[in-house]
Amino acid sequence: MVWEISVRLALPLLFLMLIVATPAALRADEAPHARAYLDQLHTSLARIESDLPVISEAAALAARSIAEGNGFGVRGDAGLANELSNRAGSLMDYDGRPGESGDVILFVFGLTPANQPNARSHLIKQLHQAQQLRTEGSLIIAIGSGEQFKEHGIQDEIDHACHGFMDNHTSGTTANTHEATVLNAAVAWTFQCELFAALTRLDKVPTVRQSFEIDTRRQRWQRYVSQRFHHDRWLDPIVPGKLGGAYLAGLRDVLNDIGTASWRSLAWTANRAEYTLASGGEVWLRAGGRYLPYHVGGQLAEDPGLFTLINHDGSNPALPVPGKHDFVIAVGDTETAGSYEWGEPEMLRGAGRGVVWIVNGHNTQPRDLYKRETLIDLWGPYGDCVVKIDHYDTRLGPVSGLTSEAVIGMIVVEIFGRQREQD
């Protein structure tokens, strides 16, 4: 008994001694600026979740219009239009169109393009466009930063131009960051999940695309590609908030996986990119997927300018390619790292400082990685979607477009944070 008490007392003391003896550099987060960014995303996602009644109400308005035969479109960000169309979890009927007069239009406010760098002027222009569409009979559902509208003194104009406003809850008043694009997509997919639920309450079941990872022979796609609503299955009405809440919960789980299991690889990437830039090399970005390519390479007014885009396959020798002093960040979806799904992976592997492959890792094995290469696993589930619907044969709510955007944001924030510390 005395021995057991001694051991019980000694173990906590030993653990405390080990903590004290561990160097502070090893105990600290490997990427503290990226961690702060990720924490802020979680804070904003919690605020979006608190807005679920607002999002559900906007989705119910949209559902009534769509059930009456009106179309659906997305404006303000071609990237979000692409993200919401022709992919796993998207509505079969939506093909990325911007929408016409009379349609339901999801309007993204505040992503200032490089050729129109005045944020306030761009917002006012967008408000005028939305007001005109509303006058012509469209139902306008807005996504944007409430703080940004408040900063520019035009928050009251939203009610005149839009039927509903869904706040992305960015942490600052500037929307031209990867934080805004991540949160815009989070709001949009939450809205889409709630739209599905609202349509079931109108006795309609919209057809949803299934991942080709699952529908490998395209049989389901061929069966439903021309159908807006199912004629062969029915669902009980789904209550407001259920599916949107499930999406946000699933998204947070995936981001937590990135913040733990993928964190060492993310920190390695930031280290390698920082060193490459400091030594005069270039960090090349191969921006794949459906969402990220629209927000990098100087397309937005406040693009950080850290990366050199590479958007060719190397077949034209006149185009620049990575060299021995360079580093490559290759962003995809479900591609196997280093496979010919990337076009010409040898061109990417010509970078002397290596390659990081940012993909859902279930198709990549350690043997697929070469020396000086690493994988940042996006941890999206097989098929990419996180929302299961009882008695429905496919899931809603894909995450990889959003998480790849978030990972690039983390890397950028970490590099800039370290540079500020050195100044």
Side-chain angles (χ1 to χ4, degrees):
M1 180 65 70
V2 174
W3 180 84
E4 290 180 355
I5 294 174
S6 299
V7 169
R8 289 175 183 174
L9 292 174
L11 284 176
L13 180 61
L14 177 60
F15 181 71
L16 180 62
M17 291 172 63
L18 287 172
I19 293 176
V20 172
T22 302
L26 294 180
R27 295 200 305 271
D29 196 301
E30 296 170 289
H33 307 287
R35 179 68 65 188
Y37 170 92
L38 178 58
D39 289 345
Q40 182 56 54
L41 285 182
H42 279 294
T43 298
S44 295
L45 289 171
R47 290 173 179 163
I48 291 169
E49 185 173 27
S50 71
D51 285 347
L52 267 175
V54 174
I55 298 173
S56 297
E57 182 179 355
L61 285 174
R64 287 194 289 271
S65 180
I66 290 171
E68 292 170 358
N70 295 314
F72 177 77
V74 178
R75 297 199 180 200
D77 180 14
L80 190 62
N82 200 42
E83 168 70 7
L84 293 180
S85 66
N86 300 314
R87 65 161 302 160
S90 68
L91 298 179
M92 190 75 77
D93 184 57
Y94 183 56
D95 60 2
R97 57 190 177 271
E100 301 176 352
S101 299
D103 288 345
V104 175
I105 296 179
L106 195 63
F107 207 124
V108 179
F109 285 87
L111 291 181
T112 309
N115 60 358
Q116 299 177 26
N118 187 301
R120 189 174 192 277
S121 295
H122 182 63
L123 280 172
I124 292 173
K125 179 181 178 181
Q126 288 189 306
L127 286 167
H128 288 162
Q129 292 172 345
Q131 180 66 65
Q132 180 63 35
L133 287 164
R134 179 172 180 166
T135 301
E136 295 170 357
S138 292
L139 180 73
I140 308 299
I141 306 297
I143 299 177
S145 166
E147 286 193 26
Q148 188 187 34
F149 277 102
K150 185 177 180 180
E151 175 195 19
H152 295 297
I154 52 177
Q155 65 269 36
D156 294 337
E157 302 300 318
I158 302 172
D159 293 336
H160 299 297
C162 307
H163 296 86
F165 178 73
M166 301 184 296
D167 200 330
N168 62 23
H169 290 288
T170 51
S171 58
T173 55
T174 299
N176 300 314
T177 64
H178 285 287
E179 182 187 1
T181 50
V182 169
L183 296 172
N184 285 344
V187 172
W189 282 119
T190 303
F191 169 82
Q192 194 253 27
C193 289
E194 286 300 295
L195 176 61
F196 184 99
L199 284 164
T200 67
R201 299 195 296 273
L202 297 175
D203 205 25
K204 293 184 179 295
V205 180
T207 53
V208 173
R209 289 178 180 267
Q210 189 175 64
S211 168
F212 287 160
E213 282 190 299
I214 299 170
D215 185 23
T216 55
R217 299 179 67 180
R218 312 294 197 267
Q219 291 179 335
R220 186 185 184 279
W221 180 82
Q222 291 174 4
R223 184 184 311 135
Y224 295 128
V225 65
S226 62
Q227 296 183 27
R228 191 177 202 187
F229 300 107
H230 281 282
H231 307 303
D232 60 348
R233 62 178 68 234
W234 304 98
L235 297 175
D236 291 333
I238 301 173
V239 298
K242 180 178 180 180
L243 299 187
Y247 178 72
L248 291 170
L251 173 60
R252 284 196 297 268
D253 287 344
V254 173
L255 287 172
N256 282 331
D257 288 339
I258 293 171
T260 51
S262 293
W263 204 248
R264 178 165 291 183
S265 295
L266 191 145
W268 179 90
T269 300
N271 291 341
R272 186 60 58 95
E274 180 191 22
Y275 173 75
T276 299
L277 293 169
S279 60
E282 289 187 89
V283 177
W284 295 79
L285 176 64
R286 192 279 196 186
R290 302 192 60 81
Y291 192 45
L292 178 67
Y294 293 86
H295 307 134
V296 293
Q299 297 177 80
L300 298 181
E302 295 192 7
D303 186 277
L306 288 176
F307 307 136
T308 302
L309 279 185
I310 185 165
N311 55 7
H312 61 90
D313 63 4
S315 58
N316 184 349
L319 295 174
V321 296
K324 65 179 181 180
H325 300 297
D326 299 339
F327 177 55
V328 167
I329 298 174
V331 183
D333 189 345
T334 59
E335 300 94 331
T336 301
S339 71
Y340 282 96
E341 296 172 281
W342 298 87
E344 295 292 339
E346 291 85 355
M347 175 187 64
L348 303 178
R349 283 172 159 159
R353 292 191 169 120
V355 183
V356 57
W357 308 94
I358 303 177
V359 291
N360 291 319
H362 49 258
N363 291 325
T364 296
Q365 302 298 322
R367 65 176 178 270
D368 297 316
L369 302 177
Y370 287 14
K371 185 179 180 181
R372 298 188 303 278
E373 293 185 3
T374 193
L375 168 74
I376 297 180
D377 195 337
L378 295 175
W379 291 104
Y382 192 71
D384 201 31
C385 296
V386 296
V387 179
K388 186 180 185 304
I389 303 170
D390 292 338
H391 311 298
Y392 192 57
D393 65 336
T394 193
R395 296 189 177 207
L396 273 66
V399 293
S400 62
L402 189 156
T403 53
S404 61
E405 187 100 19
V407 166
I408 291 298
M410 293 176 212
I411 295 168
V412 168
V413 166
E414 184 62 29
I415 293 171
F416 273 120
R418 296 179 184 184
Q419 290 176 345
R420 285 194 300 270
E421 289 176 346
Q422 295 170 4
D423 291 342

